[in-house]
Structure formats: C-alpha cells, structure tokens
Amino acid sequence: MAVSAPIIELPQNETLTSLMTTFCSASSSPKLMQDTIHGLTEEIMSVAKSHDGSLTQSATTMIPILRGALPMFVAAQRCLPATSCILSRCSKAKGTQNVVVEWLGRRPFPTEPDDGKILILDTIIATGDTVVKLCEELWEMGGQQSRSVVVLCCYAAPEALKRVAECPVVEYVVVGKKAEKCDEKGYLVPYTNGDIGDKIYGIRDTETKTRKPMIAEGEDVQSVLSGVETLLVENGGFWELSEDGMGIQREMQFPGFKQAWIFMNQVADGAAKHRHHPEWTNVYNTVSIRWTTHHPKGLTNLDVTMARLCDSFV
C-alpha cells in the first residue's frame, strides 16, 4: 500500500482563530474576505517554506483553482522569489463526483525551463473530488511523476485531505484549518455561511434562483436553511430571498385597506410577543414585508418563525 503524503495543519493560535472567524462569517464583505484569505495564505506559505526549503530557492508554478483561489495566488506570489501562474477551472454538480477540469491557456506539461515545483491552491476542500481529479490529470500529463505537486488550502475536511494525500503525485499538503467534517450535502462543518466565491466577489446573478441564504452567526445552519427553503416560492411557498441573501420577503395584496390594516396589527402583536420586528411598507391594500436579523446579521430561526406566522394570518 502506497504511503500517503504528509498533511500539515497550521498551529492553531489567536491570529488563525481570528482569520477563520472572519472567513466563516456571513457578514464579511468581499473586500474583507479577500484580505482574510491573503492573511491565511501568508500563514500557510510561512509554514510551507519552513517545511520545504526548496520553495525559497527556486521558481514555482502555481495553479489557483478558479474562482475562489485567486486571492490565494495574489498573496502567495509575494511570499516566493519567482512564480508563474496557470489557470484551471473545475466544475462539479453538487452531490456528484463528476468533475470537469478546464485549462485556461497553457497546461503545466510539457514544462517550461523555469516552471519549478507545482503548487495547487484552493480555498476550500470539502469532498476532495475537485483536487483529486486535478491531481489525476497532472499525474497523467506529467508522465506519472510521483510526489511532484504541493497542495495548499485554507479550510478542508479531514477525509478530503486524506484522499488528496493519497494521490501519488502529491508531495505534501498544507491546510490552514481542518473542519470537523463534510456534511451529507457537501458543506464543511463548521459552516462557511455562504458560497466562498460569492463571499469573495459578491453575488454574480441577482436572480432569485441563484441567491444563497446567508445564515447569522451562532445559528443552527441546517435548521435555518431547511426552514427558509420550505418558505421559498420555488419550493411551493410564498417568500423570496432578498437580493443580498440576508432576508426573506413577500408582497401581499388584500381586498382593501381595512383587511391590510388588520393583518399588520396581527403581525405587530406577534412581533411584540417574539421581540422581533419586520421591515415593511403599506400602500392601500398592499403590504410588503421583509424578515431579517441585524444582530448578528443574516437569517435566523426567528425570521422563519415570523414568516410562517405571517402566512397563517393571510
């Protein structure tokens, strides 16, 4: 049986804890997320260079997995004497193991004289499917050269890291922090509270079907997600996610102003009882209402409870 490559986890200290808290926070802005990944990458590179002196002595070729790993490349190239970059985009339908690797430009093989060691960069490794597939392609393209690739990652599941380390092409793996596990839906626990690409760059498409619920810190993520999903229009409910994913909203029309006012009074009584109040507007017989939580920011089980209460009044 082949020996697995070593997996090196960063020492868990106050600096790393602070960076990971921001990394997983639902309220981190794209700029703050990029800065946080820069900081994590600098910590990862410091440990990698201590482990592998060749990184400071010769050129390297970095392969950031798009789109989430681009901030890692920006930070990593500042830590090394000479680098080149080859872009790879990997796509996989959630819940499957079918990964498609696209090389955007030249491939790493055949190598150029100054390419040096190959470093794969990825912000998150949840199941390991993507990185394993990429390593398999590098293994075949490189003529099955054992232990010639380094994998650097910010946050990963232990089982996924084990799969990556078992790839014969991998020399060693450095990870910022190990998650507890990868859940049945392919998300790391503790949760990152949103798609990493969207958190880094902002949501690309404002169509409801592409928005992601942003769950407030400290909440039971699966409980809130399940509750929100049952309320959404696409699942037979009456609510839509707000554009930023931080709230759920609905517009209701009544026969007249009197009925609209009765509804608003019922909601007001419920809001006082639950100590949670809506953002809303009323124009004659139309009520527009949005539930969100401000401290901490994002969706909570209380928002789900109040939305269901509204539905019971209509």
Side-chain angles (χ1 to χ4, degrees), residues 5 12 31 51 89 94 96 124 150-151 167 183 197 206 209 240 252 269 272 299 305 307:
Q12 303 302 296
K31 176 62 167 60
H51 174 77
R89 181 166 55 211
K94 207 69 167 176
T96 75
I124 280 184
V150 174
V151 178
C167 294
D183 72 11
T206 57
K209 64 181 181 180
E240 295 181 342
M252 288 156 278
D269 289 342
L299 284 160
T305 297

Side-chain angles (χ1 to χ4, degrees), residues 23-256:
F23 183 84
C24 292
S25 172
S27 59
S28 296
S29 68
K31 176 62 167 60
L32 182 57
M33 275 298 294
Q34 291 186 35
D35 289 344
T36 299
I37 292 172
H38 290 168
L40 284 169
T41 304
E42 289 168 359
E43 296 292 321
I44 290 167
M45 290 306 306
S46 176
V47 169
K49 289 191 293 184
S50 295
H51 174 77
D52 181 1
S54 71
L55 295 179
T56 61
Q57 298 167 5
S58 59
T60 55
T61 294
M62 289 191 278
I63 304 177
I65 297 180
L66 299 178
R67 59 184 167 135
L70 279 178
M72 290 186 72
F73 170 71
V74 170
Q77 68 175 344
R78 298 195 296 252
C79 302
L80 298 171
T83 63
S84 60
C85 180
I86 295 176
L87 297 179
S88 176
R89 181 166 55 211
C90 302
S91 56
K92 183 185 76 166
K94 207 69 167 176
T96 75
Q97 292 182 306
N98 303 320
V99 178
V100 176
V101 178
E102 299 176 78
W103 297 99
L104 308 181
R106 81 175 179 98
R107 298 185 176 215
F109 298 100
T111 59
E112 296 290 335
D114 58 349
D115 275 348
K117 183 170 286 184
I118 292 176
L119 309 182
I120 294 176
L121 312 178
D122 203 4
T123 46
I124 280 184
I125 302 178
T127 63
D129 293 336
T130 296
V131 176
V132 167
K133 177 64 175 178
L134 187 59
C135 287
E136 288 173 351
E137 292 212 1
L138 292 172
W139 170 254
E140 293 299 328
M141 283 191 291
Q144 300 186 349
Q145 297 179 31
S146 297
R147 310 305 179 195
S148 57
V149 172
V150 174
V151 178
L152 307 176
C153 177
C154 295
Y155 189 39
E159 284 303 310
L161 290 171
K162 181 180 177 182
R163 287 188 61 201
V164 172
E166 288 173 349
C167 294
V169 76
V170 174
E171 180 181 345
Y172 61 91
V173 181
V174 182
V175 59
K177 183 175 177 60
K178 291 180 182 177
E180 293 174 11
K181 64 178 180 177
C182 178
D183 72 11
E184 64 279 1
K185 293 185 178 180
Y187 297 103
L188 293 181
V189 180
Y191 294 98
T192 58
N193 296 295
D195 177 80
I196 291 298
D198 289 344
K199 290 173 75 174
I200 296 170
Y201 303 109
I203 296 174
R204 295 170 290 177
D205 189 342
T206 57
E207 291 295 325
T208 301
K209 64 181 181 180
T210 65
R211 296 175 193 159
K212 306 289 185 183
M214 304 298 285
I215 311 304
E217 291 180 48
E219 288 290 304
D220 182 329
V221 175
Q222 279 306 303
S223 174
V224 180
L225 279 175
S226 297
V228 168
E229 287 172 359
T230 63
L231 293 167
L232 298 180
V233 171
E234 57 263 37
N235 297 322
F238 302 97
W239 298 79
E240 295 181 342
L241 278 175
S242 59
E243 192 168 304
D244 60 4
M246 293 282 190
I248 45 177
Q249 56 199 28
R250 179 182 176 186
E251 183 176 279
M252 288 156 278
Q253 288 191 329
F254 299 86

Side-chain angles (χ1 to χ4, degrees), residues 238-242 247-254 260 263-271 276-283 285-292 299 302-314:
F238 302 97
W239 298 79
E240 295 181 342
L241 278 175
S242 59
I248 45 177
Q249 56 199 28
R250 179 182 176 186
E251 183 176 279
M252 288 156 278
Q253 288 191 329
F254 299 86
F263 167 79
M264 293 180 72
N265 277 327
Q266 289 175 311
V267 174
D269 289 342
H276 194 57
H277 299 84
E279 299 173 0
W280 57 4
T281 59
N282 164 236
V283 179
N285 69 330
T286 301
V287 177
S288 298
I289 186 166
R290 177 177 186 261
W291 292 105
T292 187
L299 284 160
L302 197 49
D303 296 310
V304 173
T305 297
M306 296 308 295
R308 288 174 176 161
L309 192 63
C310 289
D311 289 344
S312 72
F313 294 149
V314 178

